[in-house]
Amino acid sequence: MAIHLVIIDALNLIRRVHSAQPDPNDIANTITNTGRTLQRIIREAQPTHIVAVFDHLGTDRGWRAKILPEYKQGRKPMPEPLLRGLEKIQDAWWQMGIDSLLSEGDEADDLVATLAQKVASHGEKVTIISTDKGYCQLLSPTLQIRDYFQHRWLDEPFIANEFGVKPTQLADYWGLAGISSSQVPGIPGIGPKAAKEILTQFDDIEQANQSDALPAKYRKKFDLHIDQARRCKQVSALKTDIELGFNLQDLRFSTSPSSQ
């Protein structure tokens, strides 16, 4: 039987549904609306296996902050009513047949990336449901990313149009241009246009740095900030080697959780 694993970037979905509500304290409404959203996703995707991956909610910002201390520093915390209601949301999803995977020391992004790549590498179909373009560096013939809220695929043509680079160059792109929403600075003075120009000429940051053909207008910036660019690239990349501790069979989709 052909496998289709759907991975829900849980907090990405929940936050967007919750932010669209008129009353942020109405968690019952959040449960209802996320449930409806998931039902539509399931009807559209027809998964054989499904899981919702949640970020840990501790204060530890993980391994990325150890490499780049400013990473996600001062990010707006989750609204308190939503934080208190997460367990109820998880339970409601479980009743729909959707199990939850909660990250511990790692970010949910890395758990999603590890699971998605592991399954896709065996030629099985994987769909990640998220608006996060960071997942696009994982794109492959059997791995796709669906932005449910914009009703679009974050595919290779989308990346080419949005960033002007290949999916495999995205970590290098962010290493150069930075990610303002996550406090990833990149190289000062190199923005999206320059990053695109550099990565059109070179495969990656290292090739550009080592080449005499790097335009003079960028050489000094590289000389001053190459170490920072490397760290920004490292935190922008996804880990795909996390020990998961479960089998794909555990994620088989059934509308009755007791039968899983």
Side-chain angles (χ1 to χ4, degrees), residues 58-251:
T59 56
D60 181 9
R61 289 181 292 125
W63 64 270
R64 288 180 173 87
K66 294 175 183 176
I67 295 168
L68 196 70
E70 61 265 46
Y71 177 71
K72 290 188 177 180
Q73 198 168 44
R75 174 167 278 199
K76 189 177 179 181
M78 181 180 292
E80 190 62 32
L82 185 55
L83 185 62
R84 292 196 305 268
L86 280 181
E87 190 171 334
K88 291 180 180 178
I89 294 172
Q90 288 179 8
D91 185 61
W93 291 11
W94 167 254
Q95 295 303 318
M96 293 175 62
I98 302 172
D99 203 353
S100 296
L101 178 62
L102 180 64
S103 69
E104 294 181 359
D106 298 288
E107 290 188 72
D109 295 4
D110 296 319
L111 286 176
V112 170
T114 298
L115 177 58
Q117 191 167 90
K118 183 176 182 179
V119 174
S121 68
H122 288 90
E124 306 292 356
K125 184 178 179 181
V126 179
T127 302
I128 300 171
I129 306 294
S130 182
T131 64
D132 187 346
K133 300 177 183 70
Y135 291 121
C136 293
Q137 58 194 286
L138 302 171
L139 284 167
S140 76
T142 58
L143 195 160
Q144 56 190 359
I145 296 97
R146 179 69 168 167
D147 179 347
Y148 171 81
F149 296 97
Q150 295 293 326
H151 304 290
R152 64 187 180 184
W153 295 99
L154 304 185
D155 53 15
E156 195 161 341
F158 171 83
I159 294 302
N161 182 64
E162 185 86 355
F163 300 105
V165 300
K166 300 172 186 175
T168 53
Q169 293 178 303
L170 281 170
D172 290 274
Y173 176 90
W174 290 315
L176 295 172
I179 308 172
S180 59
S181 61
S182 297
Q183 288 79 53
V184 176
I187 292 182
I190 293 184
K193 184 177 178 180
K196 175 184 174 181
E197 179 186 336
I198 292 166
L199 293 173
T200 299
Q201 185 176 357
F202 304 101
D203 290 339
D204 54 35
I205 288 173
E206 295 305 328
Q207 189 183 90
N209 186 53
Q210 293 166 12
S211 176
D212 293 335
L214 181 68
K217 59 183 176 179
Y218 302 133
R219 172 48 62 193
K220 185 175 181 181
K221 292 179 173 63
F222 266 67
D223 289 345
L224 288 173
H225 301 289
I226 185 61
D227 288 340
Q228 178 166 290
R230 287 169 176 150
R231 287 186 286 117
C232 290
K233 174 182 176 177
Q234 189 176 355
V235 302
S236 299
L238 294 166
K239 288 178 68 174
T240 57
D241 59 354
I242 296 172
E243 186 63 43
L244 295 174
F246 59 87
N247 297 317
L248 185 61
Q249 181 62 32
D250 298 330
L251 307 180

